[in-house]
Amino acid sequence: MNIIVCVKQVPDPEAPPASFKIDSATNKVIPPPGVPPVISPFDEQAVEAALRVKDAKGGKITVISLGVNLLRDVVKKPLSMGADELILLEDPAYVDGDSWTTAYALAMAIKKIGQFDLIFCGRQAADTDAGQVGSAIAEILGIPSVTVARKIEVNESKVKVEKVTADGFDVIETSMPALITVSNELGEPRYATIKGIMAAKRKEPIIWKPADISADPAKLGAAGKRMAMLKLFQPVKEGKCEMVTGENEEDAAANLAKKLVEAKLLS
Amino acid sequence: MAENKGVMIVAEFLNGKLAAISKELLGAGSKLAKDLGEELSVVFIGEGIAGIAPEAIAQGADKVYVVDDVLLKEYLTDAYVAVAEKVIQQVNPRIVLAGQTTLGRDFTPRLAFRLNAAATMDCIDLSIEAGTKKLLMTKPVYGGNARAIFTSEVLPNVATVRVKAMTALAPDASRKGEVVTITAGLDAAAIRTNVLQKVVQEVQGIKLEDATVIVSGGRGMGGPEGFKQLASLAKLLRGAAGASRPPCDSGWVPETMQVGLTGKIVSPDVYIAVAISGSSQHLAGCGGSKNIIAINCDAEANIFKEARFGVVGDWKKVVPALETKLKELLGR
Ligand SMILES: Cc1cc2nc3c(=O)[nH]c(=O)nc-3n(C[C@H](O)[C@H](O)[C@H](O)COP(=O)(O)OP(=O)(O)OC[C@H]3O[C@@H](n4cnc5c(N)ncnc54)[C@H](O)[C@@H]3O)c2cc1C
């Protein structure tokens, strides 16, 4: 099995909401001091999905990440979990685009890799929350896609995927090669092993510039994007919580009950 | 090519009726169509759905394009995208809107890229810029910490809309509209996925999406036992029980109870958040509640910034006392 996983470096989405700040002049997020970026959590789950397939069927996992200022400690995490190779599309030409330009660059890199049975992506990145790149890669490569997976099982030339739905899940079968986006219902990603961390330290990522993947510069990054972001802003919060107290916690709870009934919130 | 004109909604159905999200989309679409001075259409993709057309017209559609085919009985990415592409090529709308639902999340990006366009997912506001006729699409980003306004020069503009973000029109049975049938013309061999099984996890009592009162628990519940207490309180209040993501991930409660950005979007009158810190991703799912009531032992927890009433304390003490007092006051 040749497996490809696409991962994105994002600001830590679990950082406290109060630390989140925007520079309104540039429409960009100001990274909170002392909070390092992470691999988008669903992408880490995509790595886990790939590792489970590799555990069952054997094969090679190639991880691709697109961006600039990619911290090696961050983007090497999939290697320390057990992935085999890391390719970075690291160049200013790749960034400041949209889902489409990102998917185009990743698809061109995948074409260059050539051999693939399964491609895994996270269901959505924790910064843009768009959830489009996976489907777009599949569309560009002309392969089937199944999104929001919780379980993946490979049998011969087919792959069986449990897809999360609003009230349960669908079991979907498709041919390979296929692209699958992964959700947290898959389960916790494994921890890196000491052996994995040592191996990841020694392994240098391969860097591909636009020319290396024969990308059309007009279709990359800011030059190729179809969406324009006019404004990035933080919604204003009213923040007028009435703290209900009492002699002790039970008493506070009883006072809360009275307030809720008095305010006619419950009847 | 002819000019792109009009607003088109991609409909979804539930139990032989228009799904709530489709009515919300028709409500939002009517306003956009009016501001543009153009038509509002809706595309029906499925099997045996033509009879639902009058409902869409009553909800604001001027035209209903019906594509009815046995191959469309169930949602399959390849089939639905191919059919929608065909209808859009024929009708040439300016704007295409779908719901941010299981179907819309999967279908819309592929459709947009097939049309050589781009999509904006999970919008909570849509408006037409006066003069330019540009569609302004507002969507939460960074897990709800921020919002971004997007436009695209590439037509059609494609977007999905968050459930409960828009308001449906009051149905008007006297509205007139046209129904146009379009053949699917599908090649079965081009459909590369197959649904082997649909597993539905039945919920007892009121569904989260429909509940007017929700009692949700978070990681601080510490295990599945506490959720029995929350279920009991929810039952007393004739509501439903929900959860943040960690209790679902830990298997304390079913995954279908997850409220949030990647779970259910709810908007009850009262949302009681117990031992939930108030992450932006959780608030993305419950921020539309009319009143959030927070119970948390950490007075600094972010949830209090969103709440109308709060109690600082251990849920093990607060929740039983709250239930006892409410029982007494409500006479149940
Ligand atoms: C892309 C992405 C999507 C996500 N989607 C979702 C989503 O849809 N829904 C979702 O919920 N999360 C989602 N998350 C996860 C989210 O970031 C948070 O990790 C999660 O919401 C935290 O849940 P919590 O508040 O229950 O847990 P915590 O943040 O750990 O908070 C637990 C709270 O319990 C309190 N507590 C502990 N013990 C007690 C006690 N005895 N009595 C009272 N209070 C107590 C603590 O003070 C604390 O405030 C997503 C994350 C990402 C990155």
Side-chain angles (χ1 to χ4, degrees):
Chain A
M1 295 286 296
N2 285 301
I3 307 169
I4 293 169
V5 189
C6 302
V7 306
K8 183 179 189 182
Q9 174 180 297
V10 298
D12 187 348
E14 304 265 358
S19 69
F20 187 87
K21 297 268 160 0
I22 286 169
D23 176 1
S24 51
T26 59
N27 273 344
K28 287 200 165 149
V29 171
I30 305 170
V35 186
V38 296
I39 296 270
S40 185
F42 292 126
D43 299 352
E44 222 178 275
Q45 255 121 8
V47 174
E48 175 62 28
L51 288 164
R52 289 186 193 175
V53 173
K54 186 182 164 182
D55 289 346
K57 296 278 156 183
K60 179 182 171 188
I61 300 175
T62 306
V63 175
I64 316 178
S65 189
L66 176 152
V68 285
N69 303 324
L70 299 174
L71 300 185
R72 296 304 186 257
D73 279 352
V74 174
V75 291
K76 278 187 169 185
K77 187 166 182 193
L79 292 176
S80 61
M81 291 164 70
D84 300 284
E85 198 160 52
L86 176 64
I87 297 170
L88 301 181
L89 307 183
E90 196 177 33
D91 193 277
Y94 290 125
V95 298
D96 291 327
D98 58 14
S99 304
W100 149 252
T101 59
T102 303
Y104 169 72
L106 290 167
M108 292 305 282
I110 293 167
K111 278 188 191 164
K112 176 166 167 136
I113 295 169
Q115 297 269 317
F116 56 89
D117 302 294
L118 286 174
I119 304 169
F120 289 106
C121 295
R123 62 177 285 183
Q124 67 194 60
D127 51 358
T128 56
D129 286 319
Q132 301 202 68
V133 164
S135 296
I137 292 172
E139 188 59 31
I140 296 168
L141 296 174
I143 60 174
S145 55
V146 183
T147 56
V148 200
R150 71 200 282 282
K151 193 174 171 196
I152 296 111
E153 203 183 296
V154 174
N155 318 300
E156 307 298 321
S157 64
K158 297 220 165 208
V159 56
K160 206 159 87 178
V161 183
E162 289 183 10
K163 172 191 168 67
V164 179
T165 61
D167 50 10
F169 59 91
D170 288 353
V171 185
I172 296 178
E173 189 178 61
T174 189
S175 55
M176 289 192 288
L179 184 140
I180 297 165
T181 77
V182 178
S183 190
N184 56 288
E185 288 82 352
L186 181 100
E188 287 286 309
R190 68 195 60 189
Y191 287 108
T193 58
I194 301 290
K195 206 175 127 220
I197 294 169
M198 297 311 287
K201 271 220 165 66
R202 284 192 300 271
K203 208 167 278 176
E204 276 315 304
I206 301 164
I207 297 177
W208 282 349
K209 297 286 173 184
D212 296 322
I213 56 170
S214 314
D216 175 354
K219 291 185 177 175
L220 289 179
K225 68 177 176 190
R226 296 168 179 173
M227 301 301 309
M229 189 171 73
L230 300 180
K231 194 175 168 195
L232 183 69
F233 63 102
Q234 281 181 274
V236 273
K237 293 193 179 130
E238 288 157 43
K240 45 168 177 36
C241 180
E242 181 180 334
M243 288 299 190
V244 183
T245 54
E247 278 167 28
N248 51 37
E249 284 158 294
E250 287 85 350
D251 191 38
N255 289 337
L256 174 64
K258 281 185 222 150
K259 292 257 181 204
L260 295 178
V261 175
E262 272 164 25
K264 298 200 163 54
L265 296 187
L266 298 174
S267 55
Chain B
M1 208 161 87
E3 198 191 340
N4 292 73
K5 259 197 147 110
V7 180
M8 179 179 276
I9 307 296
V10 181
E12 289 186 52
F13 311 102
L14 187 71
N15 306 326
K17 289 203 157 98
L18 266 188
I21 179 66
S22 302
K23 295 183 196 169
E24 292 160 20
L25 288 169
L26 284 166
S30 307
K31 178 150 192 321
L32 298 176
K34 201 169 146 227
D35 290 349
L36 288 164
E38 296 175 7
E39 195 173 74
L40 175 66
S41 65
V42 53
V43 54
F44 279 23
I45 306 174
E47 194 203 16
I49 38 144
I52 309 169
E55 202 187 342
I57 293 168
Q59 294 288 152
D62 300 310
K63 242 184 209 157
V64 185
Y65 296 98
V66 179
V67 192
D68 195 316
D69 195 292
V70 281
L71 291 176
L72 299 170
K73 184 170 190 325
E74 240 154 5
Y75 171 72
L76 294 169
T77 314
D78 289 334
Y80 275 51
V81 171
V83 163
E85 184 198 8
K86 184 180 172 185
V87 174
I88 289 165
Q89 300 288 13
Q90 188 174 325
V91 179
N92 218 14
R94 178 196 299 275
I95 296 169
V96 178
L97 303 177
Q100 176 78 352
T101 55
T102 301
L103 184 153
R105 280 187 166 109
D106 186 83
F107 161 90
T108 315
R110 273 204 93 131
L111 174 70
F113 294 115
R114 181 133 345 149
L115 296 167
N116 281 316
T120 304
M121 306 294 286
D122 204 16
C123 295
I124 53 168
D125 190 36
L126 297 171
S127 63
I128 303 292
E129 192 177 60
T132 64
K133 287 198 174 183
K134 260 191 203 162
L135 177 65
L136 304 182
M137 298 168 275
T138 306
K139 84 171 255 51
V141 288
Y142 295 94
N145 276 319
R147 286 179 188 165
I149 307 177
F150 288 100
T151 60
S152 179
E153 301 281 341
V154 186
L155 296 180
N157 286 163
V158 183
T160 64
V161 175
R162 182 173 285 191
V163 295
K164 298 187 190 228
M166 305 288 172
T167 319
L169 303 174
D172 174 1
S174 69
R175 278 193 89 253
K176 295 272 176 290
E178 191 188 339
V179 180
V180 181
T181 307
I182 297 180
T183 52
L186 277 170
D187 172 7
I191 304 172
R192 297 164 294 185
T193 57
N194 181 15
V195 179
L196 300 178
Q197 199 190 348
K198 282 186 151 333
V199 179
V200 175
Q201 288 162 350
E202 292 292 342
V203 281
Q204 290 173 348
I206 303 161
K207 284 176 81 174
L208 269 174
E209 299 92 313
D210 304 332
T212 54
V213 178
I214 293 174
V215 184
S216 276
R219 188 181 347 239
M221 298 304 294
E225 293 73 30
F227 279 88
K228 294 198 186 108
Q229 186 92 52
L230 300 188
S232 157
L233 178 59
K235 193 163 173 232
L236 174 75
L237 302 176
R238 298 178 180 137
S244 64
R245 197 172 100 180
C248 304
D249 282 350
S250 305
W252 301 344
V253 296
E255 291 158 1
T256 45
M257 269 170 69
Q258 181 182 324
V259 171
L261 181 66
T262 52
K264 299 224 155 60
I265 307 282
V266 299
S267 57
D269 294 336
V270 176
Y271 186 87
I272 306 181
V274 185
I276 290 177
S277 66
S279 69
S280 55
Q281 295 89 355
H282 185 73
L283 290 163
C286 65
S289 307
K290 288 205 185 75
N291 301 283
I292 294 179
I293 318 297
I295 298 168
N296 197 303
C297 60
D298 173 9
E300 298 301 315
N302 192 60
I303 190 75
F304 289 120
K305 296 204 174 71
E306 306 283 335
R308 173 154 174 212
F309 293 110
V311 169
V312 178
D314 185 342
W315 67 265
K316 292 192 193 90
K317 300 216 169 93
V318 177
V319 174
L322 178 65
E323 185 173 349
T324 308
K325 190 70 185 179
L326 282 172
K327 231 181 229 164
E328 177 199 316
L329 294 175
L330 299 172
R332 285 181 198 150

